[in-house]
Amino acid sequence: MKMLKVTGDRLTTPSGEPVTLRGVGLGGWMMMENFLNGFPGTEHQARDALRRTMGAERADRLFDRILDEFFTDADAALIARTGLNCVRIAVNYRHLADDSNPFDIRQEGMRRLTAAVDACARHGLYTVIDLHAAPGFQNQSEHSDNPTHHAWLWRHRHFQDQLVAIWEALADHFRGRPEIAGYNLLNEPGDPTGDVVGPFYQRLTTAVRAVDPDHVIFLDGNRYANDFDVIGDSYENTVYSVHDYALAGIRDATTYPGDVRGQYVDRAALEERFLERTAHSRRTGTPVWVGEFGPVYSGDLAVDKHRYAVLSDQLEIYQEHGASWSIWTYKDTHLSGLVTLDPDSPWSRLLRPIREKKERLGTEPWSTGEDGIAHVLAPLDELLAAEYPDFDPPPFGRRWYVRRLVRELLLGEPMLEEFAALFSSLDDAGIEDLAGSFRLDSCVPRSQLLELLAEFTRD
């Protein structure tokens, strides 16, 4: 494998050979999320709840064993057999730093991340290191391990200093390794004013370049990889990373082409949205990279055939425009993974009542509906519209704001105690059984998805 660099609007090897990255995101591993892993709340809340119930040592052992089983050499081999050539590894900063010693790098986290890079390299896979959750939280959502609806990273210099130190350590550790395609410095930033992210990107990029001048840097736009105006275009050897989730691929969508939330979506609409999102890359003459995209699956074949049709059109559009991409995600409990947990696995069986309650209360907007609590949400929507007609909070307005506060925080967080209680009598054999649920030979491949991806990875 050869070190990649930006040459005009392509990623190339040092000799100028073009490389198109066709990859998959590794979520749910060193960055666990409620809709990927099955717990309520955020990762650190779930860990804390189990530490209270099981004791710190046993809870930590459970999570460590899940990490051991979740991604192994066998997983890297499957990704490579599918024809993919890249894995974007999502990382929670908590694996690399402890809040009680914020500037000391945790070597166990560095070791685990290095082992994944090595496994991918053995199978000819590039990796992109993706800092998915930053100190102080870079956005307002649970997928930055944020238990609030505020992104404190942009207010506090201390958090920014800690993030710079983490990336300096990563750059020092991985410099000179050609199997790493590059560094994705910050997933989906949500600077509410847009005033801080641009100057901070300049500072962070300069710090990384001082340690490692060679690796490509991937920069997500503000507002969750959508807004590049506040970032600018004065970066060398840099790829501007967009996320391209299609409205027709969300849970609410049932037909494609068809109407979703009052909008008609067909292939032309998908391409128009893609071109809007990638305008900055094309204007600056830099490579187009879709860092995340992909539908969610319902398990109903009649519905999911439409989701596969959306995905097929997206992949065709990317191919026509020479875009590199990384679909989300490789492995999860049920929603969108290339492989998923067996519904009869010990983990799935144990957490079945939690999954059912999440669905009933609609606590995860990405993976659950809100029919069961529409009678609660509708009056709130109407009240805020009447009393605060001009209220348009970042990042996505009043409707998102209400659902973050009500569905995810008010109704989701109390479920942590019920979640933790399920583990109260877990013995050592039970820990091994639960962790084994995440082992590849215990999981179920999403065959149609793997076959579709294989069609678009053949040169």
Side-chain angles (χ1 to χ4, degrees):
M1 302 176 75
K2 299 177 181 178
M3 184 79 74
L4 298 185
K5 66 175 183 176
V6 172
T7 305
D9 63 355
R10 298 303 303 269
L11 288 166
T12 72
T13 64
S15 63
E17 178 186 359
V19 174
T20 300
L21 296 177
R22 301 182 182 101
V24 64
L26 181 54
W29 184 56
M30 288 187 77
M31 177 68 236
M32 297 184 182
E33 299 184 52
N34 52 31
F35 68 94
L36 297 179
N37 298 86
F39 51 75
T42 68
E43 177 180 358
H44 80 270
Q45 288 177 315
R47 285 175 175 267
D48 289 348
L50 290 193
R51 286 168 69 93
R52 291 192 297 271
T53 299
M54 301 173 63
E57 181 179 350
R58 293 173 59 74
D60 290 348
R61 179 148 58 90
L62 171 62
F63 279 99
D64 285 344
R65 289 292 297 120
I66 290 173
L67 288 164
D68 292 341
E69 300 285 9
F70 194 108
F71 189 76
T72 67
D73 201 83
D75 294 284
L78 174 61
I79 292 170
R81 287 198 304 273
T82 304
L84 301 169
N85 63 1
C86 181
V87 178
R88 177 174 175 257
I89 305 175
V91 181
N92 190 330
Y93 84 94
R94 296 175 191 274
H95 286 281
L96 302 171
D98 188 321
D99 288 335
S100 62
N101 295 288
F103 294 96
D104 290 343
I105 299 301
R106 300 180 65 180
Q107 294 307 310
E108 173 60 21
M110 197 70 82
R111 181 202 63 77
R112 193 178 290 279
L113 178 57
T114 303
V117 170
D118 292 343
C120 290
R122 284 193 292 273
H123 294 279
L125 298 168
Y126 282 103
T127 46
V128 173
I129 298 174
D130 154 39
L131 207 291
H132 214 81
F137 323 116
Q138 76 274 17
N139 63 40
Q140 296 81 4
S141 299
E142 65 79 28
H143 62 258
S144 61
D145 204 14
N146 188 346
T148 78
H149 61 291
H150 295 289
W152 300 113
L153 172 67
W154 309 111
R155 284 197 175 191
H156 296 282
R157 174 70 183 228
H158 171 84
F159 293 134
Q160 296 167 23
D161 292 348
Q162 186 182 2
L163 180 56
V164 169
I166 289 170
W167 265 116
E168 287 174 331
L170 286 167
D172 181 61
H173 185 78
F174 288 111
R175 62 184 172 183
R177 297 201 57 169
E179 58 270 39
I180 295 176
Y183 304 143
N184 194 168
L185 298 186
L186 203 56
N187 179 71
E188 295 192 348
D191 174 7
T193 67
D195 296 334
V196 183
V197 61
F200 180 67
Y201 264 172
Q202 288 282 359
R203 178 191 174 199
L204 183 57
T205 300
T206 299
V208 171
R209 291 276 190 243
V211 178
D212 178 355
D214 297 321
H215 275 109
V216 173
I217 283 178
F218 293 78
L219 292 181
D220 284 20
N222 197 37
R223 292 189 70 249
Y224 295 45
N226 280 291
D227 178 9
F228 293 89
D229 290 341
V230 297
I231 293 173
D233 53 12
S234 60
Y235 296 92
E236 295 182 359
N237 204 30
T238 296
V239 172
Y240 300 101
S241 172
V242 303
H243 291 182
D244 191 32
Y245 289 104
L247 190 61
I250 66 173
R251 178 189 166 100
D252 295 354
T254 55
T255 59
Y256 173 79
D259 289 304
V260 187
R261 294 183 181 175
Q263 298 183 41
Y264 183 77
V265 184
D266 59 6
R267 189 188 187 283
L270 292 179
E271 185 167 21
E272 180 181 9
R273 192 72 176 104
F274 165 77
L275 291 174
E276 289 175 359
R277 286 170 167 160
T278 59
H280 186 83
S281 298
R282 288 178 290 105
R283 181 178 64 79
T284 55
T286 51
V288 175
W289 159 261
V290 182
E292 287 184 23
F293 71 105
V296 300
Y297 302 97
S298 66
D300 182 341
L301 296 178
V303 172
D304 287 347
K305 70 178 183 180
H306 296 281
R307 308 279 167 82
Y308 287 118
V310 173
L311 179 58
S312 180
D313 278 353
Q314 285 188 291
L315 291 169
E316 190 175 80
I317 290 166
Y318 301 161
Q319 187 176 64
E320 290 174 0
H321 290 275
S324 292
W325 47 262
S326 177
I327 193 170
W328 189 262
T329 184
Y330 168 62
K331 184 185 288 184
D332 66 2
T333 58
H334 70 286
L335 194 67
S336 56
L338 276 59
V339 298
T340 66
L341 265 63
D342 187 323
D344 290 324
S345 68
W347 183 267
S348 298
R349 291 198 309 269
L350 182 67
L351 267 61
R352 191 164 290 143
I354 296 299
R355 180 174 169 183
E356 291 171 352
K357 190 162 189 174
K358 286 183 184 183
E359 182 66 38
R360 188 171 73 252
L361 296 179
T363 59
E364 294 166 9
W366 191 246
S367 61
T368 62
E370 59 183 50
D371 291 348
I373 56 167
H375 63 291
V376 174
L377 295 172
L380 286 173
D381 288 335
E382 293 169 4
L383 179 63
L384 264 70
E387 296 290 345
Y388 306 103
D390 299 323
F391 182 53
D392 186 30
F396 303 121
R398 185 172 61 227
R399 187 179 188 279
W400 179 92
Y401 178 83
V402 169
R403 278 141 189 83
R404 174 68 177 145
L405 292 181
V406 176
R407 293 175 66 177
E408 298 185 75
L409 303 185
L410 181 63
L411 296 177
E413 283 191 17
M415 207 182 306
L416 284 160
E417 298 308 314
E418 295 177 37
F419 162 78
L422 298 174
F423 296 79
S424 60
S425 60
L426 195 66
D427 59 16
D428 290 346
I431 287 176
E432 291 302 311
D433 286 343
L434 289 178
S437 302
F438 292 86
R439 191 171 55 245
L440 180 58
D441 61 11
S442 299
C443 291
V444 180
R446 203 182 294 276
S447 300
Q448 189 171 349
L449 176 55
L450 292 168
E451 291 168 5
L452 179 58
L453 291 174
E455 291 178 20
F456 286 90
T457 55
R458 301 187 188 104
D459 290 321

